[in-house]
C-alpha cells in the first residue's frame, strides 16, 4: 500500500506539472525541482518493485551476475539521484525564503534561478559517475559481490555472504550519499535559524508572528519534512502544501469518484 501510494502521489505531481508546462510553456523552478524529484522517486520505486519481484519469484535469474549487477546499479543510481534532488529542493527553499544579509548568501540567491537546471543535470551526471565507481569497486574488490548464486544452491555460506555484502553495500552507498544528505539537513537547520531570527525580530518590534514570511518558513520546513513514509508520505505532503498541486488534486477527486461509480463491479 505504501508503494502504491508513492507511485500515485509522485505520478500525480509529474503529470500535473507536465500538463501545466504544455499549456503555458512555462514551469517555475519549484515545479521543475518537484517534477524531477517525483520522477526520480518513481524510478526508485520501480527499481525496488522489480528487485523484490525478481528475488521473490525469479531468484535463479536474479542470481546471474549481469542481472544482479543491473539491479544493483538501478537501485544505487535512483537512490542517489533521489537524495541529490531532495538536496536541491532544500537549497532552493532556503535561498528563496530564508532571511540572511550575508553578501555571499545574497549573491547566490540572485543567481540561483539560472543555476537550478544545471544543478539538476549535474546531480544526474554526478550520481551516474559515482554509481559506476562504487559498483565497480564493490564488484572487483569483493568476493561476496553476488551471494544469490549460493542462495540458489541452498548453501549455508550464502547467508554469511549476504550479510557481508549488505554491510559493504551500506558503507559504499552511505559514502556516496553523504554530501547530498548533509546539504539537505543543513538547509533545514538554516531555515530554522532564519525563522527563529525572523520571529525574534517581530517580537522585538511588537508585531504579530503570524505574518506571511513566518508562514512561508513553516511551509518550507513542512515540505522538507523527512517523513517516515518516505517517499510516499513526503509526496503527499508536497501535494498538500503546494497550492497548484492541491487545487489539481481537489479537482480530480470528483471525476475519479464519478468514474469509479460508473465502473461495473
Amino acid at each position: 500500500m505504501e508503494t502504491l501510494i508513492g507511485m500515485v502521489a509522485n505520478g500525480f505531481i509529474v503529470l500535473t506539472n507536465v500538463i501545466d508546462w504544455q499549456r503555458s510553456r512555462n514551469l517555475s523552478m519549484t515545479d521543475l525541482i518537484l517534477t524531477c524529484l517525483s520522477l526520480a522517486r518513481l524510478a526508485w520505486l520501480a527499481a525496488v518493485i522489480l528487485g523484490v519481484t525478481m528475488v521473490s519469484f525469479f531468484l535463479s535469474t536474479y542470481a546471474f551476475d549481469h542481472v544482479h549487477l543491473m539491479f544493483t546499479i538501478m537501485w544505487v543510481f535512483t537512490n542517489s539521484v533521489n537524495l541529490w534532488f531532495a538536496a536541491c529542493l532544500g537549497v532552493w527553499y532556503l535561498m528563496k525564503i530564508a532571511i540572511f544579509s550575508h553578501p555571499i548568501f545574497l549573491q547566490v540567491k540572485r543567481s540561483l534561478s539560472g543555476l537550478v537546471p544545471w544543478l539538476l543535470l549535474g546531480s544526474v551526471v554526478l550520481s551516474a559517475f559515482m554509481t559506476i565507481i562504487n559498483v565497480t569497486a564493490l564488484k572487483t574488490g569483493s568476493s561476496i559481490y553476488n551471494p544469490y548464486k549460493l542462495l540458489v544452491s541452498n548453501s549455508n555460506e550464502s547467508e554469511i555472504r549476504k550479510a557481508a555484502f549488505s554491510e559493504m553495500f551500506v558503507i559504499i552507498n552511505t559514502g556516496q550519499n553523504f554530501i547530498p544528505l548533509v546539504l539537505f539537513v543543513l538547509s533545514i537547520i538554516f531555515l530554522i535559524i532564519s525563522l527563529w531570527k525572523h520571529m525574534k525580530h517581530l517580537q522585538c518590534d511588537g508585531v504579530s508572528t503570524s505574518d506571511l514570511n513566518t508562514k512561508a518558513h513553516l511551509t518550507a520546513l513542512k515540505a522538507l519534512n523527512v517523513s517516515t513514509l518516505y517517499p510516499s508520505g513526503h509526496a503527499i505532503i508536497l501535494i498538500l502544501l503546494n497550492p497548484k498541486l492541491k487545487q489539481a488534486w481537489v479537482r480530480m477527486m470528483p471525476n475519479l469518484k464519478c468514474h469509479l461509480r460508473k465502473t461495473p463491479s
Side-chain angles (χ1 to χ4, degrees), residues 36-110:
C36 291
L37 178 60
S38 297
L39 279 172
R41 287 178 172 175
L42 283 173
W44 182 81
L45 287 169
V48 170
I49 293 171
L50 287 173
V52 171
T53 302
M54 291 296 294
V55 172
S56 301
F57 302 104
F58 307 100
L59 184 58
S60 57
T61 302
Y62 190 79
F64 288 116
D65 282 343
H66 66 281
V67 177
H68 183 253
L69 176 63
M70 179 184 68
F71 278 95
T72 302
I73 292 173
M74 286 171 54
W75 192 92
V76 173
F77 174 71
T78 55
N79 187 59
S80 179
V81 171
N82 262 313
L83 283 176
W84 274 108
F85 284 169
C88 289
L89 181 65
V91 172
W92 172 252
Y93 278 135
L94 174 65
M95 294 298 171
K96 183 180 179 182
I97 296 173
I99 304 173
F100 295 109
S101 57
H102 196 280
I104 295 179
F105 178 85
L106 296 176
Q107 184 176 355
V108 173
K109 186 172 185 176
R110 285 192 295 266

Side-chain angles (χ1 to χ4, degrees), residues 15 33 78 82 84 91 99 114 128 159 195 207 223 229 239 244 251 262:
L15 184 62
I33 298 174
T78 55
N82 262 313
W84 274 108
V91 172
I99 304 173
E159 293 301 323
L195 174 61
V207 183
L229 293 178
I239 292 174
K244 183 184 74 173
R251 289 196 302 267
K262 293 179 180 179

